[in-house]
Amino acid sequence: MQEISDRALRLGVPFSVQLDLTYRCNEQCVHCYLDHDDHGEMTTVEIKHLLKEMAEAGVFILTLSGGEIFMRKDFFEILEYARSLTFCIKLKTNAVLIRETQAARLRDLGVESIQISIYSHRPEVHDAITKVPGSLRRSVNAIRFLRAQGLKVVVANVLMTENMQDYHGVRALADEIDAKYTLDPTITPKMDGDRSILDLNAGESALRRLFRDEAFVGNADKFCAPPPVPDEDSMKALPCSAGHTACYVSPYGEFYPCVQFPLSCGNVRQQRFIDIWRNSEQLKEVRSIRLRDLSNCSQCAHGSTCTRCPGLAFMEGNMRGPSTADCEKSFARTGIPSANLLAKKQNASIPRLVQIQLVPAITGSRLSGMGAPQVM
Amino acid sequence: MSKKLYVARSPRIAARMLGEEMLVMSGQGSTLFTLNPTATILWQAADGTTPLDEIVERRICSEFEVKPDEALRDAEALAEDLAKHGILLISEQPILERPIASTPLLQEQPQR
């Protein structure tokens, strides 16, 4: 697949697209980054037209996600049309609305895989995260229906403070129901920039335990080894596929480099998909960025192995800056602080305008009438 | 005289042209194949109703300098290989179930 991706990159083809059909959802997960109200979703006709444009642009892998995709009454109509255009379809869903009938239809339509979020093997934990009683039972039943049809199911286990103890149990559950398992220990900010849900992120000690757990990482010493010194090749490397061979379209037609990278590049309701892909100034800027251009990260010991997410960096305020969540993961993994964490620590240790506190007398004289001093 | 063979694209595969090659992902085990130009022509022409010998004569012999008998033998072998991987359906009767990628283009266009 890497060879194919490389070829797509050389040809400038948007090989893989995530299209969120809706932000509406029948679960209300505590860590969700979306606003679930409908602010004007694309209609069935608009989505079909977009799919046609995507197929003509060369999109091969189409991930349909949300929100909850089955909240759209036209979901199967959209899926059937997408398959008629021979996309390789991956679905992301909580599966609460999938029964035998839906599972059989997904099989008939040749869906490649279905990723289903499971937070815990314990109903009291999973259902507390989704805020829907009975949701674990329904999602697990759905996985059984899908597996009975021979469909590939991936259990996606997002980790946070609430379920950090349960990943062994979720993996055992996935094994029992013959599903694949994937784990993600990163909670991301809301699309509107609200960072309050980041408090749910598992702490450093929990991450360190996870990264030393050989049932998940293989050889822990190898996984947690200090990173090699970044070489010239890693300095020239692309940060990730966002905007290079992949992109994201929201239910409202907004075109972003990635679902985690809310830099608007255009809207498919106003412009053709391929025109945005080829001509967006924002995408051109994203494509121009290499590790060597990043102020902090180009000097960082983790440069060659870091999983830095440019979208998370963007949400921190600078797409050429560090993604602190990834710095923290690199630190938890290796014990070596990133250049960004070192800089933050250094800044934190610098006394903040303490001279103002030390010389209160001048506050009333030389600083009078200049407003209160700003503590940065 | 051998019986006519009909070939149709499997409805359970995904496919897209990438540069000069056709990418095909089989529904069987998510295996990804790349088809060479000859196989791509055969796959694109596999509508279930045109006999394989006609596809070879019209689409392959006209494109490549190859004798019809030899081209048909190669095409039959290729079709059987693709069928083993779930990419093509082969039958001695026309395959009337409409293959994928034959949905008419949208008639209704959204307003920009």
Side-chain angles (χ1 to χ4, degrees), chain B residues 7 9 15 17 20-24 33-46 52 55-56 59-60 63-64 71 74-83 87-88:
Chain B
V7 288
R9 298 181 290 273
M17 285 299 290
E20 301 290 305
E21 289 186 327
M22 175 69 77
L23 296 182
V24 178
F33 299 88
T34 54
L35 304 186
N36 66 23
T38 316
T40 299
I41 290 172
L42 176 60
W43 189 85
Q44 287 175 323
L52 184 60
I55 293 173
V56 168
R59 303 290 304 276
I60 295 179
E63 190 82 15
F64 304 94
D74 288 350
E76 285 174 348
L78 175 61
E80 282 171 17
D81 194 32
L82 294 177
I87 294 171
L88 272 189

Side-chain angles (χ1 to χ4, degrees), chain A residues 303-354:
Chain A
S304 59
T305 55
C306 181
T307 55
R308 174 186 172 276
C309 170
L312 292 180
F314 174 76
M315 284 196 267
E316 270 190 60
N318 180 5
M319 72 168 92
R320 288 181 172 79
S323 151
T324 300
D326 291 298
C327 294
E328 287 166 349
K329 279 192 280 184
S330 292
F331 178 56
R333 187 166 51 82
T334 63
I336 299 170
S338 69
N340 171 42
L341 294 183
L342 285 172
K344 281 179 189 281
K345 193 176 173 186
Q346 202 169 23
N347 289 340
S349 67
I350 295 172
R352 294 179 175 180
L353 299 178
V354 288

Side-chain angles (χ1 to χ4, degrees), chain A residues 246-365:
Chain A
C247 63
Y248 166 77
V249 180
S250 83
Y252 314 123
E254 284 295 321
F255 188 124
Y256 299 130
C258 169
V259 65
Q260 284 193 165
F261 199 155
L263 169 68
S264 181
C265 303
N267 191 301
V268 296
R269 283 170 151 162
Q270 276 100 43
Q271 291 171 273
R272 288 197 312 155
F273 175 85
I274 192 64
D275 290 339
I276 300 174
W277 177 258
R278 285 183 181 154
N279 304 325
S280 155
E281 291 303 320
Q282 292 85 354
L283 280 179
K284 286 178 185 171
E285 187 181 1
V286 169
R287 287 172 189 148
S288 72
I289 298 173
R290 300 290 182 275
L291 177 60
R292 63 175 173 243
D293 305 321
L294 308 177
S295 51
N296 255 309
C297 303
S298 60
Q299 311 299 319
C300 182
H302 292 286
S304 59
T305 55
C306 181
T307 55
R308 174 186 172 276
C309 170
L312 292 180
F314 174 76
M315 284 196 267
E316 270 190 60
N318 180 5
M319 72 168 92
R320 288 181 172 79
S323 151
T324 300
D326 291 298
C327 294
E328 287 166 349
K329 279 192 280 184
S330 292
F331 178 56
R333 187 166 51 82
T334 63
I336 299 170
S338 69
N340 171 42
L341 294 183
L342 285 172
K344 281 179 189 281
K345 193 176 173 186
Q346 202 169 23
N347 289 340
S349 67
I350 295 172
R352 294 179 175 180
L353 299 178
V354 288
Q355 66 274 28
I356 294 172
Q357 294 170 348
L358 289 173
V359 283
I362 55 172
T363 307
S365 54

Side-chain angles (χ1 to χ4, degrees), chain A residues 7 49 52-53 112 268, chain B residues 16 21 30 105 109 112:
Chain A
R7 199 186 314 159
H49 187 76
K52 183 75 175 45
E53 289 188 344
E112 193 271 336
V268 296
Chain B
R16 190 71 71 233
E21 289 186 327
S30 301
L105 299 184
Q109 300 288 315
R112 293 278 188 206

